[in-house]
């Protein structure tokens, strides 16, 4: 293509078909892609340092993400257990109580209703408290009959459960009701706080990654200053000069992602043992799930995009400023 | 081919490198551009290759006003101009072959076409057997000829040379100029900036003389103008 010499067929496009031109384009790109790998190979120390920094920067949010995800999986079971206890008035007969149970189980927001009579409750208390003999001395059973209500999953969130209790309290037979939601609220708040921390940390580290790659590419560009000047003198477009640096950024991102993957795997095995012990004290089975395919692909993509973004920002700024004099 | 119309160039800081320069280099013409160091020779060449923009006036290549060329189009203009520099501007870490191939790679030629064109260009400058050498292993005159091969490898219609014989002895200088003559005879327009007056006198080509940014003579150099210039 020539701007001032319309009849000049500068390049070889005269005798080359469109298809060949397209394939040339891809061959060119593949060639440059591997050429930039060669560049990285020739400066092993610098490459290893950059890739390591990158990998570690991505490892941290990666591990935190996995911890949050696993904790979430565990606490999900607890969330479902939200159970409402309705204490019945003393004068409610067991027939009336059964009527209440039937009425309640018809409500759409309730999954399961269980009636524990005052006598059953007392027996259970005797068994669990170990105060068997002492209880014998009581003249009357001080415990009320209880109806336990398990809300459906949709109504098991703290707020919904609380609303449900308010409504159920209006039932004639019910003296009082309670749902232990305070700890659930705390748990949910801590979880969302932990998630926010992971997001904020990830954001900061990703910004750091972009800056690190940008700076590395900047040094690469300055090292190749003479070469860039010559290329500009013989008619290279900015895009042509950018390309090898963009590929370098791509490789940094990819290799950084692989390093992060490796680090995360090692850390999970290591942390897994300790974590297992912690959870065992809570009587909770923990089956740590590592990176699944989608998380791994996401992490790789994020890493590569950060690499490309860092080098793009750097290249756009610095290649422009290098002009032949 | 190249036309300057009332071109002035003032650098930031106020130094006036060119004042109202007018000339027209015809297609297929070969000319020398001469004058003291700092007379504006390099500036004039830079305005043609758009390394600088004129402060006032217009530069035309083949009838196209370079003031209309945008920043992104500059690369394409330079592909039509073979440029040769006193300090060669070669890539010292690449072989002679790779250096000469650079303009073709940029233009997107196929591997086969690159190989044949590069060898043809190296043949023209007599360096066919040095293709795989690194430029540092070559003598000054040979390095200059690598630069020339690179400038002509994509067969541009216009050649610009800035002090191409700067560091060479008279015999090698003449050899280089003979190369330019060959290209000129093949129809390429050639503009050579040099302060090698002896060389110019021997060659009998049109000579443009700059003095303090002004074009003081345009034509064959005679004894008179030589005195004027000196």
């Amino acid at each position: 293509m020539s701007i001032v010499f319309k009849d000049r067929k500068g390049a070889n496009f005269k005798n080359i078909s469109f298809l060949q031109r397209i394939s040339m384009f891809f061959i060119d790109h593949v060639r440059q892609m591997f050429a930039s790998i060669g560049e990285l190979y020739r400066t092993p120390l610098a490459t290893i340092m950059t890739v390591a920094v990158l990998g570690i920067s991505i490892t941290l949010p990666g591990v935190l993400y996995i911890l949050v995800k696993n904790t979430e999986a565990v606490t999900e079971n607890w969330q479902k257990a939200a159970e409402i206890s309705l204490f019945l008035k003393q004068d409610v007969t067991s027939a009336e109580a059964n009527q209440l149970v039937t009425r309640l189980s018809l409500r759409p927001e309730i999954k399961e209703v269980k009636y524990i009579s005052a006598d059953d409750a007392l027996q259970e208390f005797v068994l669990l408290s170990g105060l068997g003999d002492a209880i014998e001395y009581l003249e009357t059973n001080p415990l009320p009959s209880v109806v336990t209500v398990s809300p459906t999953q949709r109504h098991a969130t703290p707020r919904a459960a609380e609303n449900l209790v308010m409504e159920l309290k209006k039932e004639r037979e019910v003296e009082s009701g309670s749902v232990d939601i305070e700890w659930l609220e705390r748990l949910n708040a801590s979880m969302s706080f932990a998630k926010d921390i992971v997001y904020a940390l990830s954001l900061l580290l990703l910004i750091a990654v972009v800056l690190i790659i940008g700076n590395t590419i900047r040094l690469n560009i300055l090292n190749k200053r003479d070469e860039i000047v010559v290329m500009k003198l013989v008619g290279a477009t900015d895009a042509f000069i950018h390309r090898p640096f963009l590929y370098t950024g791509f490789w940094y991102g990819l290799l950084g992602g692989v390093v992060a993957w490796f680090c995360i795997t090692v850390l999970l095995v290591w942390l897994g043992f300790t974590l297992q012990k912690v959870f065992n004290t809570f009587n909770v089975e923990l089956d740590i799930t590592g990176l699944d395919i989608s998380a791994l692909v996401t992490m790789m993509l994020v890493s590569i995009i950060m690499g490309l973004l860092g080098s793009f920002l750097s290249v756009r700024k610095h290649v422009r400023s290098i002009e032949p004099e | 081919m190249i036309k300057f119309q009332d071109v002035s160039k003032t650098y930031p800081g106020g130094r006036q490198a060119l004042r109202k320069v007018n000339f027209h280099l015809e297609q297929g013409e070969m000319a020398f551009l001469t004058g003291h160091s700092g007379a504006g020779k390099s500036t004039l060449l830079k305005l043609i290759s758009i390394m600088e923009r004129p402060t006032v006036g217009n530069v035309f290549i083949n009838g196209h006003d370079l003031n209309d060329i945008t920043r992104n189009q500059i690369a394409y203009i330079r592909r039509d101009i073979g440029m040769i520099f006193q300090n060669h501007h070669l890539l010292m870490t690449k072989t002679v072959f790779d250096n000469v191939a650079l303009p073709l790679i940029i233009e997107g030629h196929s591997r086969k076409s690159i190989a044949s064109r590069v060898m043809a260009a190296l043949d023209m400058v007599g360096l066919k057997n040095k293709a795989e050498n690194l430029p540092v292993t070559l003598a000054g005159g040979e390095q200059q000829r690598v630069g020339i091969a690179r400038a002509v490898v994509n067969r541009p219609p216009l050649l610009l040379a800035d002090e191409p014989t700067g560091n060479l002895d008279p015999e090698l200088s003449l050899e280089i100029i003979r190369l330019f003559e060959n290209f000129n005879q093949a129809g390429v327009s050639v503009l050579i900036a040099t302060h090698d007056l002896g060389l110019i006198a021997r060659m009998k080509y049109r000579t443009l003389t700059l003095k303090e940014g002004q074009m003081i003579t345009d034509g064959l150099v005679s004894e008179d103008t030589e005195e004027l210039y000196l």
Side-chain angles (χ1 to χ4, degrees), chain A residues 1-14 16 21 24 27-28 31-32 39 42 224 226-238 240-241 243 316 319-325, chain B residues 1 27 46 49-51 61-62 64 66 69 71-81 83 85 89-91 93-94 99 102-103 105-111 113-114 117 150 154-158:
Chain A
M1 170 171 135
S2 175
I3 293 167
V4 290
F5 298 96
K6 290 287 175 234
D7 52 339
R8 179 168 183 250
K9 300 275 199 314
N12 55 343
F13 294 157
K14 263 187 289 194
I16 283 188
R21 220 181 302 170
M24 274 296 296
I27 289 169
D28 248 22
R31 203 188 294 164
Q32 279 187 315
E39 290 281 315
R42 255 166 269 145
K224 298 200 164 210
D226 295 342
E227 201 167 319
I228 291 171
V229 165
V230 171
M231 291 215 279
K232 286 200 171 182
L233 282 176
V234 298
T237 55
D238 279 1
F240 182 88
I241 298 169
R243 237 184 278 158
R316 212 183 46 158
V319 169
R320 205 185 172 87
S321 70
I322 296 176
E323 283 292 341
E325 281 163 19
Chain B
M1 178 58 77
Q27 180 153 4
K46 281 179 184 169
S49 54
I50 326 188
M51 285 153 77
I61 296 182
N62 202 24
H64 292 263
L66 293 189
I69 300 295
R71 191 184 178 280
N72 290 329
Q73 291 175 321
I74 293 175
Y76 297 102
I77 297 294
R78 290 191 186 147
R79 292 179 189 184
D80 292 328
I81 305 172
M83 279 186 277
F85 312 91
H89 271 309
L90 298 178
L91 302 176
T93 55
K94 300 268 169 75
N99 267 285
L102 190 59
I105 293 170
I106 287 168
E107 267 190 299
H109 286 251
S110 71
R111 206 169 255 236
S113 147
I114 288 175
R117 281 172 184 240
R150 185 183 63 194
N154 62 345
R155 296 171 201 160
L158 177 60

Side-chain angles (χ1 to χ4, degrees), chain A residues 139-194:
Chain A
E139 284 172 15
T140 55
N141 181 358
L143 297 178
S145 301
V146 178
V147 172
T148 60
V149 173
S150 303
T152 57
Q153 197 159 356
R154 212 156 61 81
H155 292 272
T157 60
R159 178 164 300 183
E162 199 162 26
N163 287 340
L164 190 58
V165 171
M166 298 287 277
E167 261 185 67
L168 296 183
K169 271 188 196 166
K170 287 177 198 153
E171 295 285 345
R172 190 167 41 81
E173 300 88 345
V174 175
E175 169 82 49
S176 67
S178 82
V179 57
D180 192 3
I181 50 171
E182 210 164 88
W183 72 275
L184 250 186
E185 273 172 347
R186 279 190 204 138
L187 178 74
N188 284 346
S190 328
M191 283 302 291
S192 70
F193 180 57

Side-chain angles (χ1 to χ4, degrees), chain A residues 121-150:
Chain A
L122 186 65
Q123 264 174 18
E124 198 180 330
F125 181 71
V126 168
L127 279 175
L128 287 177
S129 65
L131 294 172
D133 290 343
I135 303 249
E136 293 289 317
Y137 293 101
L138 290 173
E139 284 172 15
T140 55
N141 181 358
L143 297 178
S145 301
V146 178
V147 172
T148 60
V149 173
S150 303

Side-chain angles (χ1 to χ4, degrees), chain B residues 86-172:
Chain B
Q86 181 174 7
N87 58 358
H88 322 315
H89 271 309
L90 298 178
L91 302 176
M92 288 302 167
T93 55
K94 300 268 169 75
T95 63
V96 167
F97 182 97
D98 289 345
N99 267 285
V100 177
L102 190 59
L104 301 177
I105 293 170
I106 287 168
E107 267 190 299
H109 286 251
S110 71
R111 206 169 255 236
K112 230 172 83 184
S113 147
I114 288 175
S116 67
R117 281 172 184 240
V118 168
M119 290 322 282
L122 284 176
D123 197 22
M124 270 190 267
V125 299
L127 288 174
K128 208 173 177 181
N129 55 341
K130 299 276 173 82
E132 294 309 316
N133 290 31
L134 288 178
V136 275
T137 65
L138 302 181
E142 288 176 322
Q143 289 190 9
Q144 190 56 279
R145 281 186 282 161
V146 175
I148 293 172
R150 185 183 63 194
V152 300
V153 73
N154 62 345
R155 296 171 201 160
L158 177 60
L159 269 185
L160 299 180
D162 193 1
E163 303 286 0
T165 63
N167 300 321
L168 305 178
D169 59 44
E171 202 178 320
L172 280 173

Side-chain angles (χ1 to χ4, degrees), chain B residues 32-46:
Chain B
F32 286 105
L33 175 65
T34 188
H36 281 296
S37 301
K41 301 191 296 286
S42 295
T43 301
L44 194 149
L45 292 185
K46 281 179 184 169

